[in-house]
Structures are given as C-alpha cells and as structure tokens.
Amino acid sequence: MTIKIEGDVKGAAQAGRLLAEGRLVAFPTETVYGLGCDATDEVAVARLYDAKGRPSFNPLIIHVPDAASARALGRFDATAARLADAFWPGPLTLVVPAAVGSPVSLLARAGLDSLGLRVPGHALARTIVAASGKPIAAPSANRSGHVSPTLAAHVVEDLDGRIEAVIDGGPCPVGVESTIVACLGGVPRLLRPGGVSREAIETVIGAPLAGGEGAAIVAPGMTASHYAPRARLRLDATDPRPDEAHLAFGGAPKASGRVLDLSPRGDVVEAAANLFRYLRLLDGEGHAGIAVAPIPRDGLGEAIHDRLARAAAEKG
Ligand code: TXA
Ligand code: MG
C-alpha cells in the first residue's frame, strides 16, 4: 500500500527520510508530480523504472535544492551559469557535463556523461529534496505511456501499491514539464519545450537556441539520449569468443575469460542496476567486443534490451 502524506513541514521531513532510505516517493513540483528516489542509489533507480513500467531507460532529471548543489554535480559553462541565475528555482532543466566522480547513478543518467539538473520552483519540492540530503532523480509520477500527473490523486490512480508514498501538495501550478536545454559546449540546444519559453531563454542568452528535436549528436561520443560503448556489442550471445569479455546473466558463466554477471540470481531489476556500470567497466578494459548473454524480456528486461540494442547499433 502506498501511504499518503500531507504536504506540510512534518510530511516533508518524513518524505526526506524515506528517500534517504532508498524508497520511492512521489511529490509535487511546480510542473507535474515527480516520482523521486535517491539518484546515487542504483537499486532504488532500477526500482523506479520498474514502478513506472518504462520500456526504455531515459535519462532522469536530477533535482537539487539550490544552484550550489547543482554546481557540485555538473560542470556549468557561462551560458549554463547565466540560465541557472535567471530561471532557478523554476521549470528549467539544464543538461551539463557531469562533474568528475559524480555520485549520480549511471542508470539514472542512462549511462551518459551528462546530467539533467533542475532546482524546482515549488518550495515543498525543494524542502523534501533538501531533507533527503541526496540528489533526487524524478521523472513524472505516472505509468509509462500515461499523461503526467498534476494532482496527488492522479499519482495514486497510476502507481498505488507500486511506490512507498505520495506527498499531497495540491495541484501543480505550471502543469507542463520543465523546459530542457543542453549546455554541452557550442550552441545551447533546446531538447524539450516546457514551462519556460524559448523566447525567455533566448533573451537571457542573447542568441537563438539550436533547434533541438530528438537525438542529434551534441558532442563527440556523447549522444543526446543514449550511451555508446567503444567495444562492439554482440547480443544474445551464448558463446563468447577469445577476444570478447562476457556480460553474463543468471549465473553459470560460459566464458573462461573476463566475465561480469549482471545478476547471478537472474533478477532483471538487479541487472538494470548494474547494466551501465558493468558495460563501462568492461569497455574501459579495452576488449575488442562484449558478448552479452540472453536476458529475459519481462519487466525491466524490455528496457535493458532497448538500451543494449541502441548501444550495439551505435557501432554501426
Ligand atoms: O518538469 C519536469 O521536468 C518533471 C518534474 C517531475 O521535474 N520531470 C520530468 O522527467 O519530466 P521525465 O523523466 O519525464 O523527463 C526526463 C527527460 C528525458 O526523457 C530526457 O529527454 C531528458 O529529460 N534528459 C535528462 N537527462 C538528460 C541528459 N543527460 N541528456 C539528455 N537529455 C536528458
Ligand atoms: Mg514523463
């Protein structure tokens, strides 16, 4: 059962405690209700994707209580700094390069070297995030494919029994998601229109934003929405070759060479939590290829397959 918590000072403290323990807690922001979890906890993030029923791992927006916290997690160029000054707290997400040694989980970042950061304009949201003491990953608090919730009751309709708690803070004043702008060097790019208008942003930076629909490449090795390893990926592989590392699943590794098992007990949620970390680890070791074992397609398995297929396709 999902518990309903009042959006007052006491409720915010309780929400912060639950988040710090790795629980899933929905809370209001000025845009839509977000489903939050500790962004540094890979398993909590995997459970969050599972609760939403997402068929793919989109990178999640990381919520922090103030701009100083954001700047500890990401690298802000002059444009990003100016946009943060102008629009935070508020419905703007800035995608910036992750700081070296960023504690934000690779699964929350979908394996990317960048981070979507936002300081919500809703005071209750900031209080909850501050109370948790953690950066909070929060996609909209709906089941995948449903519209974003702007009332606590919408959250309950979609996610009752799948999350620990929902904080009722009344209706969301903006009602559409945050605007997303990528500041990754070069011209800043509009990735998603939202609560702050393109015009308002262009006025602040004194120049037009780059177009921005979809997954255009924004920097070498860094695509807008998915991770690409250097090594060649071979999927559904049961027979690792001598020059390949083996990304196994469910125990009983078949290879004599380098093996990492995504989930020895065969649990897709655990596999999701390890996916990007293990891919990066093996990729960093310089193997020519990575043979990925067959993984079930139920639950988070579908999202794992989606991400692996994209990562494999990147190599052409
Ligand atoms: O208003 C909002 O932004 C709401 C509230 C809860 O804060 N959150 C929200 O999250 O809309 P979500 O998960 O529905 O949207 C996240 C989107 C991703 O699909 C992706 O387009 C973009 O944010 N994003 C996040 N991190 C990114 C990154 N590192 N690079 C590119 N895009 C990123
Ligand atoms: Mg959404």
Side-chain angles (χ1 to χ4, degrees), residues 32-33 52 54 58 138-143 145-149 177 192:
V32 300
Y33 273 75
K52 278 189 62 94
R54 273 205 174 171
N58 298 322
S140 51
N142 50 279
R143 290 278 288 174
H146 292 194
V147 294
S148 295
E177 288 90 345
R192 178 177 78 181

Side-chain angles (χ1 to χ4, degrees), residues 26-266:
F27 58 86
T29 79
E30 77 280 25
T31 58
V32 300
Y33 273 75
L35 176 57
C37 78
D38 175 358
T40 67
D41 180 341
E42 301 272 4
V43 172
V45 175
R47 290 182 50 235
L48 184 149
Y49 284 109
D50 192 40
K52 278 189 62 94
R54 273 205 174 171
S56 67
F57 299 126
N58 298 322
L60 303 176
I61 294 170
I62 310 305
H63 297 65
V64 289
D66 49 53
S69 309
R71 297 186 73 144
L73 297 174
R75 299 206 308 273
F76 285 60
D77 63 12
T79 306
R82 206 174 310 154
L83 290 173
D85 280 348
F87 297 109
W88 281 352
L92 176 70
T93 295
L94 293 171
V95 173
V96 299
V100 177
S102 170
V104 173
S105 114
L106 276 174
L107 184 59
R109 286 147 59 181
L112 298 172
D113 290 321
S114 58
L115 279 182
L117 290 165
R118 152 164 147 77
V119 179
H122 200 297
L124 178 59
R126 289 197 304 279
T127 307
I128 290 168
V129 173
S132 76
K134 308 279 186 181
I136 297 297
S140 51
N142 50 279
R143 290 278 288 174
S144 179
H146 292 194
V147 294
S148 295
T150 54
L151 286 176
H154 299 159
V155 178
V156 173
E157 274 169 33
D158 262 26
L159 297 173
D160 195 18
R162 305 181 67 88
I163 65 176
E164 193 73 19
V166 55
I167 315 303
D168 190 348
C172 300
V174 175
V176 296
E177 288 90 345
S178 61
T179 302
I180 305 178
V181 175
C183 298
L184 294 169
V187 182
R189 181 174 287 273
L190 180 67
L191 298 182
R192 178 177 78 181
V196 177
S197 73
R198 173 195 280 268
E199 292 74 17
I201 291 166
E202 290 177 340
T203 300
V204 166
I205 60 182
L209 283 168
E213 293 291 70
I217 293 172
V218 287
M222 186 188 279
T223 56
S225 65
H226 52 271
Y227 167 70
R230 274 190 308 267
R232 170 175 33 80
L233 288 194
R234 207 155 55 81
L235 306 184
D236 292 314
T238 49
D239 55 340
R241 297 167 189 156
D243 64 342
E244 286 179 327
H246 188 41
L247 190 61
F249 177 87
K254 304 254 188 335
S256 50
R258 174 67 163 145
V259 181
L260 282 177
D261 196 328
L262 287 168
S263 173
R265 65 168 189 267

